[in-house]
Amino acid sequence: MKIFKFGGASVKDAESVKNVSMVLKSQGFAKCLLVISAMGKTTNELEKVVELYFKKDNYQTEIEKIKRKHIEIAEGLFPENHAVFAEINLFFDDVDSFLRRNKSPNYNFVYDQVVSSGEMISTKILSEYLNEIQFTNQWLDARDYIKTDNSYRDGNVDWKKTEEFISHLNTEICYVTQGFIGSDENNFTVTLGREGSDYSAAIFAYCLNAEAMTIWKDVPGVMTGDPRKFKDVTLLSNISYEEAIEMAYYGASVIHPKTLQPLQQKNIPFYVKSFVDPTKGGTKVGASEKNQSEESYILKENQTLLKISTRDFSFIAEDHMSLIFGYLSKYKIKVSLMQNSAISLALCLEDKFSTVDDLNEELQKVFKTEVVKNVSLFTVRNAKMENIDKFYQEKSVLLEQISKNTLQMVTQ
């Protein structure tokens, strides 16, 4: 089987949905599984619903706006009496009904039950449209196949159960399913982290021993830098799994960090291609003699710099490190960069659950701390060390680290 993943930009309106069918026509619509994100900015809009709900504000108006948008998309794809309109109404009625009945104060739990509806609706619309134009497919609820623990908003996959469920799929037909979501042992929805649809595609690819996996984007492939942030970037046509994993870890937005390791384990080729021009080669990630190691630039924004030192000027020892990393795990904060000296530890952190203030409060019971928010982590992979002076120009550098071929700096 082939796995194709289409993100929100590729299904943002009726014309985009029609374009998906053109991409599939160019690739051959047979023995494939499509993993689809929510339409356009629907995830952001559903996040606003959750925020309004917890503020005890008028979230119903926001739900109605999102529903209206999806109905308008469907009106551009289906005759007016099509059954898909009843499906759309039902999905949004379910969201409203859940919020009215809900008694749980757990923000992350409520978030996953509500925000996941974006993928459910987008896949139902796309699946019905493809069937309408004779691209025969079966709609799947990914929650019946991807099983996780109950770490809401950042689920950990139970690979044994997931592989068991997915392996029963008929690999002779085509499917449409959701990215980003799975379910726990009680069948509550659990999301896999923001931008987790790429990871979903890799899970299905691994469990189905796929021939290849392709992510369709609005860029030509993996570039040497985000063209919206850097000038004179070029396409990387061939890169190794290792290089792609490093780029994703450092924050390259075109690839989700968890996506690559399942594919590497089974040597499944991974392509990043443009849905604007599907005939172009894009980027191939995998084992190849053509793999490139070009100088590449990655900017990871909205980071927090945390500096920690002991109150009695003693060394930062192993027991201190153990305590600090225990708190990082407790508050689900990811370390993007770490630098330690004898008496201090500097951490560049990704605070996606907005818990860094709670972490800092705990640490201040034992340590002296300094917090600088809204910093950026700038990484240069395969840096030409003889020319690195140019990267320091017009930057306020708070922390820097240079390894064999990688330059990293935390900047304001």
Side-chain angles (χ1 to χ4, degrees), residues 195-295:
E195 312 299 332
S197 293
D198 292 3
Y199 185 35
S200 299
I203 293 166
F204 277 104
Y206 177 90
C207 295
L208 291 168
N209 296 305
E211 176 188 326
M213 172 176 147
T214 305
I215 292 178
W216 297 94
K217 309 279 287 187
D218 55 358
V219 292
V222 179
M223 314 290 285
T224 53
D226 185 336
R228 294 166 296 186
K229 297 173 183 174
F230 300 100
K231 296 177 183 176
D232 304 321
V233 295
T234 57
L235 177 69
L236 293 164
S237 55
N238 288 270
I239 54 175
S240 65
Y241 290 115
E242 292 79 8
E243 182 67 18
I245 288 168
E246 293 287 345
M247 291 177 73
Y249 177 78
Y250 290 131
S253 59
V254 76
I255 308 169
H256 186 273
K258 292 180 180 177
T259 301
L260 291 146
Q261 285 174 308
L263 303 176
Q264 184 183 22
Q265 281 203 17
K266 291 194 175 179
N267 201 25
I268 297 169
F270 169 48
Y271 297 90
V272 181
K273 292 188 176 186
S274 167
F275 61 73
V276 179
D277 190 352
T279 60
K280 293 279 178 70
T283 300
K284 179 185 178 183
V285 179
S288 171
E289 293 177 2
K290 299 177 183 176
N291 283 341
Q292 299 157 279
S293 297
E294 301 291 326
E295 189 171 81

